[in-house]
Amino acid sequence: MTDPELLRKHIEQYIQITDAEFEQFIVNFHHRKIKKKDFLLREGDICKYEAFVTKGCFRIYYSDEKGDAQIL
């Protein structure tokens, strides 16, 4: 299954979407590979996009006042 098919399958768990609507929606997405140990967003960055993970997973965390990682 391709990335757009995975995204459509996910969306259709919540709403019905026509082929034309999906085509109009998908033009706003860009495929991007994130390497292991790399960051999608760092502290202080402004988030300008949404992400949809098709393979693998992300760890979301922040550092508390003691410097310990707090995993969300």
Side-chain angles (χ1 to χ4, degrees):
M1 194 174 282
T2 66
D3 294 343
E5 289 170 341
L6 289 170
L7 179 58
R8 185 170 185 162
K9 184 177 178 181
H10 176 74
I11 291 169
E12 288 184 335
Q13 290 178 4
Y14 304 98
I15 62 169
Q16 290 299 311
I17 189 168
T18 66
D19 290 342
E21 290 170 329
F22 185 71
E23 288 300 318
Q24 194 173 21
F25 176 73
I26 200 69
V27 297
N28 296 306
F29 281 80
H30 305 282
H31 186 263
R32 181 176 168 197
K33 288 187 178 184
I34 307 293
K35 293 181 181 178
K36 189 175 184 175
K37 306 246 182 193
D38 203 355
F39 290 87
L40 182 64
L41 188 68
R42 292 181 182 268
E43 183 178 357
D45 289 350
I46 296 172
C47 184
K48 299 177 184 175
Y49 45 82
E50 294 286 330
F52 182 76
V53 179
T54 58
K55 184 177 179 182
C57 62
F58 281 107
R59 178 175 70 135
I60 301 171
Y61 71 95
Y62 68 94
S63 297
D64 64 15
E65 56 279 344
K66 296 178 186 176
D68 297 326
Q70 299 297 316
I71 299 172
L72 303 175

